[in-house]
Amino acid sequence: MSNAKLFLGQRLRRLRRDRDMSQTDMAASLGVSPSYLNHLERNQRPVTAALLLKLAETYEIDVRSFAAGGGANTGPEELAEIFADTLLGDLGVPRYELTELAHNMPSIADAVARLYAALKEVDRDPSLATGGDARALVTPENWVRDYIQQHRNHYPALEAAAETLGGALSDPLSVAEPMRRRLKEAWGITARVVPQAELGNASQTFDSDRRQFLISSLLRAENRTFALAYQLALTEFADVIDKMVADAAPPDKGIGELLHMSLANYAAGAIMMPYGAFLKSAEEYRYSIDRLCGHYGANVEQVAHRLTTLGRAGARGVPFFMLRVDPAGNISKRYAGENFPFSRFGGTCPRWNLHAAFQVSGQAVTQVIETPDGQRYFTVSRTIERPIKTALTTGLQAIGLGCDLKHAHKLHCADGVDFSNPAVTPVGPACAICPRNDCWDRATPPAGRMLAIDTSRKTISPYPFVTG
């Protein structure tokens, strides 16, 4: 631990409120007085190393993440990305001020991030700035993504319900048939596979009048199973999901429906892979994705996503982060169980071999990466096929899954890595905010930095800049 004093009042308050606890309750759990906790929350006392360890033990938080601002949606890295924009770059806001904002005023940091996201949306579509409801500038995917990250992609109420149901439906051959029977016997819903032509542009649809659930014949087997689990989640957990959406208070109906679908997707994965059983088998198989796919009749994406949700208090798995990209580099999924080292508003670093997975389709590509703050992660990337392959697409996407290097020894795919002296690839966030000066993969100059180009010599980086 550093000798620097840690004032973590806002994060303590948020942690307490997230767990719906009073100061008296939290103080009792930590073995301190309510008045002392009150001083801590008001930043009138620093958090000691002993108290940090007690917080980690009691609430199973990552000490480094909590002390570095991991309790907020918007951390120093995201703020640095925002303030590197050409609109703000001339202000020269120092890093320590951004860190203080993220640490001590997380709600304001979140508001800054939301305003910036809205500004980017206006850049993309200027017609949005012509008046009307300002909430239209909050894109549905960003709002839902922030909600998911706020909850660390883990929902205890859904997990408990899905574990009970999934356990009752477990079958060593296939969970699909028990789910089909459950829909029919408990809810009077008949599930059928039909030609794609009958569904138009849908891959699945529920006809509530005829009580029929129709699944496209073009869906792969694992995706048909997931479709059944999704419909079962919508039916069985309607009250739970409706309450979660209402409590989230989305700004409009469309965002609320997207959140509803996201929560149903989450519950579907939890039904197919019930928490306790999945965590046990994940640890037994040393997080081998292929073995977990075989065990649960799931595909790579479904298993990878499920691995990012293992945040149950008292029974946590390895905290993974996950990205899904297409061949053009567009990010369509972004989940994190704990830290997430990549750009929120930009793309990924070209040095990360996530994109190299497209060159070796179907093979796992591993890598140890190091972010500019010195933190190291073990990552594994591989291609996946879309649920339905059409003539207009390659059908391929890539999944990147990673965790802090300290957890990598638990992973089957990390066997052979020399953890005492691993081969490390330096990576960064989006080029516009990356502080690395000697990168020959840099695609754009860093925002807010003076270029240091010497016409008499060429450097490794096409855009060298003044540091310091």
Side-chain angles (χ1 to χ4, degrees):
M1 295 295 295
S2 168
N3 290 326
K5 292 183 178 180
L6 291 174
F7 293 93
L8 309 176
Q10 288 287 347
R11 272 163 287 160
L12 274 172
R13 186 179 297 115
R14 177 171 284 201
L15 176 68
R16 177 172 60 80
R17 289 175 176 173
D18 284 348
R19 284 159 174 75
D20 196 23
M21 299 178 72
S22 67
Q23 282 190 338
T24 301
D25 292 337
M26 176 172 271
S29 70
L30 296 174
V32 299
S33 69
S35 62
Y36 179 63
L37 180 60
N38 182 264
H39 285 308
L40 290 171
E41 289 192 358
R42 295 167 63 186
N43 284 329
Q44 294 177 346
R45 296 283 190 279
V47 175
T48 64
L51 186 60
L52 264 181
L53 294 175
K54 184 66 174 178
L55 282 164
E57 176 187 349
T58 305
Y59 300 110
E60 294 192 325
I61 60 172
D62 181 89
V63 170
R64 179 169 55 185
S65 174
F66 186 75
N73 291 340
T74 306
E77 292 298 333
E78 290 86 355
L79 289 175
E81 185 176 358
I82 293 170
F83 280 86
D85 191 282
T86 52
L87 181 67
L88 305 171
D90 64 304
L91 297 176
V93 179
R95 174 61 181 245
Y96 74 86
E97 289 189 11
L98 300 179
T99 301
E100 287 181 1
L101 175 60
H103 288 183
N104 297 322
M105 290 175 280
S107 296
I108 295 177
D110 289 348
V112 169
R114 180 174 294 183
L115 286 171
Y116 182 74
L119 180 65
K120 300 292 284 186
E121 200 55 23
V122 170
D123 283 344
R124 186 186 65 81
D125 184 0
S127 67
L128 294 173
T130 58
D133 192 342
R135 292 177 300 178
L137 298 176
V138 180
T139 61
E141 70 274 15
N142 281 333
W143 194 96
V144 172
R145 184 178 293 168
D146 286 346
Y147 174 87
I148 291 171
Q149 188 55 34
Q150 179 185 355
H151 291 81
R152 290 290 186 265
N153 199 27
H154 180 77
Y155 309 99
L158 284 179
E159 290 288 0
E163 191 162 25
T164 299
L165 178 60
L169 298 176
S170 62
D171 187 308
L173 291 177
S174 170
V175 72
E177 181 58 23
M179 287 194 295
R180 186 195 65 78
R181 288 199 304 266
R182 174 76 180 185
L183 283 170
K184 179 63 176 177
E185 295 170 3
W187 300 98
I189 297 173
T190 300
R192 294 194 298 118
V193 175
V194 299
Q196 180 64 46
E198 292 188 25
L199 298 179
N201 65 351
S203 60
Q204 63 192 67
T205 186
F206 174 55
D207 184 338
S208 58
D209 293 330
R210 300 171 63 189
R211 306 298 288 174
Q212 288 193 345
F213 180 56
L214 307 179
I215 305 171
S216 169
S217 60
L218 294 185
L219 276 178
R220 294 180 170 87
E222 299 90 344
N223 297 103
R224 293 183 190 180
T225 301
F226 192 87
L228 287 168
Y230 175 82
Q231 184 60 42
L232 196 57
L234 286 178
T235 308
E236 297 269 355
F237 308 148
D239 291 343
V240 177
I241 295 175
D242 286 345
K243 183 179 186 305
M244 292 176 69
V245 172
D247 289 346
D252 62 46
K253 182 179 179 181
I255 292 177
E257 290 171 345
L258 181 60
L259 176 60
H260 194 283
M261 180 183 293
S262 298
L263 293 173
N265 280 331
Y266 180 102
I271 291 172
M272 287 178 62
M273 296 165 272
Y275 194 101
F278 183 78
L279 177 59
K280 181 180 178 181
S281 53
E283 292 178 339
E284 178 185 345
Y285 298 151
R286 300 186 59 230
Y287 294 89
S288 167
I289 292 180
D290 289 325
R291 295 189 70 181
L292 289 169
C293 287
H295 187 114
Y296 289 96
N299 62 29
V300 169
E301 181 178 358
Q302 291 161 2
V303 167
H305 186 185
R306 188 61 172 140
L307 287 172
T308 69
T309 68
L310 301 181
R312 174 180 286 176
R316 295 182 185 273
V318 169
F320 286 99
F321 60 83
M322 168 191 159
L323 275 80
R324 185 182 70 187
V325 301
D326 64 19
N330 298 306
I331 299 174
S332 53
K333 278 189 178 181
R334 193 189 315 238
Y335 298 115
E338 280 294 344
N339 293 329
F340 188 77
F342 301 107
S343 169
R344 177 175 178 178
F345 298 100
T348 61
C349 178
R351 288 182 167 182
W352 187 28
N353 64 15
L354 171 60
H355 303 284
F358 287 107
Q359 302 170 17
V360 286
S361 179
Q363 298 182 33
V365 183
T366 62
Q367 187 180 26
V368 176
I369 60 176
E370 182 178 273
T371 50
D373 60 2
Q375 196 158 344
R376 293 181 174 182
Y377 301 87
F378 178 84
T379 68
V380 56
S381 307
R382 62 190 293 175
T383 55
I384 59 171
E385 294 185 317
R386 296 176 186 269
I388 293 180
K389 184 176 180 178
T390 70
L392 300 178
T393 70
T394 64
L396 287 181
Q397 296 173 301
I399 289 287
L401 195 66
C403 65
D404 192 295
L405 189 60
K406 68 183 180 183
H407 300 296
H409 67 279
K410 301 177 183 178
L411 312 184
H412 168 78
C413 58
D415 287 350
V417 175
D418 179 5
F419 293 109
S420 64
N421 186 31
V424 179
T425 302
V427 301
C431 287
I433 60 169
C434 182
R436 299 192 185 279
N437 204 354
D438 58 350
C439 177
W440 52 38
D441 293 308
R442 178 177 287 280
T444 60
R449 301 286 190 118
M450 176 70 71
L451 291 179
I453 295 176
D454 182 348
T455 57
S456 65
R457 61 190 293 267
K458 287 190 175 182
T459 56
I460 291 175
S461 170
Y463 301 106
F465 54 89
V466 177
T467 60

